Amino acid sequence: MTKYEIKKATREIRGYKNRNKIGEGCTLEGNDIFDEIVKSFDSKDEALNALKAYKSEIDIAGDLYMVTEYFVQENEYDEDGEWIDGGDIWEFSPLPEGVEA
């Protein structure tokens, strides 16, 4: 069965000079990817509509940027709920405008 999931992913970006690495999808780059399912839907339209309620965030502490993004990902599961295939991302929630330190 195909599910369309709203997922939340977070990534630390260290250093003022690295702030230019912040952009759509930056939380899914690198080896240490931590994401979690927020909500699951049977249709892509439902998931994309629900994503409008989420906004990506950038928290700044000194030269540490903590970026949190939400996105809709399509995944295929078997009848026991085990992941089979997927990973296609349909849309991200918008990032805040400009990053200032």
Side-chain angles (χ1 to χ4, degrees):
M1 78 185 107
T2 301
K3 292 289 184 180
Y4 298 89
E5 300 163 337
I6 294 179
K7 289 186 142 186
K8 174 184 174 182
T10 303
R11 177 180 176 205
E12 286 183 4
I13 296 179
R14 291 193 175 273
Y16 182 77
K17 292 179 182 178
N18 291 324
R19 74 190 185 287
N20 62 347
K21 294 180 181 178
I22 297 172
E24 185 176 276
C26 71
T27 58
L28 302 178
E29 296 172 0
N31 297 327
D32 299 328
I33 298 172
F34 302 101
D35 63 5
E36 63 184 78
I37 298 171
V38 176
K39 288 187 179 181
S40 185
F41 300 88
D42 292 327
S43 86
K44 181 171 73 170
D45 289 338
E46 284 179 298
L48 292 173
N49 191 45
L51 182 66
K52 294 175 184 175
Y54 296 88
K55 299 217 182 312
S56 297
E57 302 170 355
I58 303 170
D59 293 320
I60 305 169
D63 70 344
L64 173 67
Y65 299 82
M66 184 65 74
V67 182
T68 302
E69 291 184 294
Y70 297 89
F71 54 94
V72 172
Q73 186 177 54
E74 180 179 346
N75 288 300
E76 186 74 25
Y77 296 92
D78 66 16
E79 59 275 352
D80 296 323
E82 295 294 320
W83 185 84
I84 298 172
D85 193 21
D88 291 337
I89 296 173
W90 289 100
E91 191 171 316
F92 285 88
S93 59
L95 282 167
E97 294 291 323
V99 177
E100 299 295 329

